[in-house]
Amino acid sequence: MIPIARPVSRRGEGRERVVQAALDLFAVHGISGTSLQMIAESLGVTKASIYFQFRTKEEIVTAVLAPALESLGDLVDRAEGLPGEEARRDAAVTGLVDLVVRHRRLVALLRGDPAIAIMMKAHEDHVGVVDRLGNLLLGTHPTPQTQVTMTMLGGGLMMSGADPELVGLPDDVLRAELLRCARALV
Amino acid sequence: MIPIARPVSRRGEGRERVVQAALDLFAVHGISGTSLQMIAESLGVTKASIYFQFRTKEEIVTAVLAPALESLGDLVDRAEGLPGEEARRDAAVTGLVDLVVRHRRLVALLRGDPAIAIMMKAHEDHVGVVDRLGNLLLGTHPTPQTQVTMTMLGGGLMMSGADPELVGLPDDVLRAELLRCARALV
DNA sequence: GTCTATAGCCCGATAGAC
DNA sequence: GTCTATCGGGCTATAGAC
């Protein structure tokens, strides 16, 4: 958000290394299950070094999730601009499938950890995006049928990013199969 | 495992109170996010009292999950006894839907916490049940299509137990809608 | 069966030298 | 930018009085 005064060394490449290491560990142990100690050790440095790049652990989590949340925001913006409720819903569904495939491990992260839900509520703009996505998928007057269907869809997509059985599947195969399932549901 | 010499007071009713309190807290904060302190406080006692009933936290977790895992074992036993691959798969699917509805909050627990996966691997018998369930659903020669479909199904069912939007739905409505979704998928 | 008290560990985060 | 060292606190788990 705020453009930080350029540090002496090149760009935020130190931050990027931390984010990558954190993502690897989050994917295995979850967010709460990953300590700064573990991140530091996997980089061969100490905890204190990481605190030079990030001021809190939460700042690392938001940095890890940022790309997926940004893509989600773009997707919602795009879908909302379409004319007709069905077209908007279809754009939301196919966009979600695409997002899950592109950010597989990140979505797997959103799956479980209660820490995520707490963190999301702290950033109201993200809550707004999720609500708008809900409107696209469910319409403004949700029925039990649409609610259950969309929970099945969302949950299934999330788990598909997480499932170790599916990591070997190429992106295009996974995308095609997920689309088939999604279309069968809606 | 080892049958403990019967305590002076009636049966394991102290254990049951702990299990109920733990389930309530696990559902909100996750397993790793719930400390013995929190469980003790919600019961109005101290941590040490709980250690009179359970020797470790993991023992509490297994006690909480036991009913659902037992139901799952029964379901797999029953389905495997049927003649014909399709009949077995159908029994597995409908049985799963039923199990999710009956043990909603428990299933929500299985959803997220990586601690669960680690714990499950420690008990090989549970792993065996999951593998047998996989065979029922996927057949012995899984294809990408069946793999993705079953991940969508399993993930969707889990999230349906977890989703706060759906807790207000009566059991029979939820069961009917989940069955409709499941049949649409397979 | 419940209590107080505490051991021993790891956590996130900070201070300050280099 | 990385280090050592440490603080304050929460955690699981145990010891022992009542």
Side-chain angles (χ1 to χ4, degrees), chain A residues 126-146:
Chain A
H126 294 155
V127 175
V129 169
V130 172
D131 282 347
R132 286 160 61 200
L133 180 64
N135 281 341
L136 284 169
L137 292 174
L138 295 171
T140 42
H141 300 296
T143 64
Q145 177 174 347
T146 57

Side-chain angles (χ1 to χ4, degrees), chain A:
Chain A
M1 189 74 85
I2 299 159
I4 307 195
R6 189 71 53 85
V8 279
S9 103
R10 274 179 307 174
R11 288 183 312 156
E13 68 180 21
R15 282 179 72 97
E16 195 50 41
R17 282 181 67 226
V18 173
V19 166
Q20 285 300 324
L23 174 54
D24 289 338
L25 289 166
F26 287 169
V28 178
H29 304 99
I31 294 177
S32 319
T34 301
S35 69
L36 291 179
Q37 186 83 252
M38 294 160 72
I39 299 175
E41 272 172 14
S42 88
L43 288 171
V45 298
T46 63
K47 278 189 294 179
S49 307
I50 294 184
Y51 275 99
F52 179 82
Q53 312 277 3
F54 298 91
R55 281 189 308 180
T56 65
K57 183 182 179 181
E58 187 179 318
E59 206 174 290
I60 301 177
V61 175
T62 51
V64 168
L65 294 179
L69 291 175
E70 196 178 331
S71 296
L72 185 62
D74 293 346
L75 154 64
V76 171
D77 287 340
R78 220 179 310 124
E80 279 177 344
L82 295 177
E85 189 169 344
E86 264 189 50
R88 286 194 290 272
R89 171 155 40 212
D90 191 65
V93 169
T94 58
L96 260 186
V97 168
D98 214 58
L99 190 145
V100 166
V101 174
R102 282 209 325 274
H103 298 286
R104 282 201 213 185
R105 302 162 72 210
L106 238 43
V107 171
L109 216 58
L110 287 167
R111 165 201 59 164
D113 212 300
I116 295 274
I118 294 168
M119 203 208 66
M120 292 271 290
K121 274 176 190 146
H123 295 259
E124 292 183 16
D125 46 343
H126 294 155
V127 175
V129 169
V130 172
D131 282 347
R132 286 160 61 200
L133 180 64
N135 281 341
L136 284 169
L137 292 174
L138 295 171
T140 42
H141 300 296
T143 64
Q145 177 174 347
T146 57
Q147 278 182 311
V148 172
T149 303
M150 291 309 152
T151 303
M152 286 284 298
L153 176 61
L157 289 178
M158 281 194 190
M159 295 304 280
S160 301
D163 196 327
E165 302 264 354
L166 302 182
V167 292
L169 249 47
D171 280 3
D172 53 344
V173 174
L174 179 61
R175 186 184 292 108
E177 294 297 337
L178 287 179
L179 253 184
R180 184 183 49 74
C181 289
R183 294 237 159 89
L185 275 175
V186 298

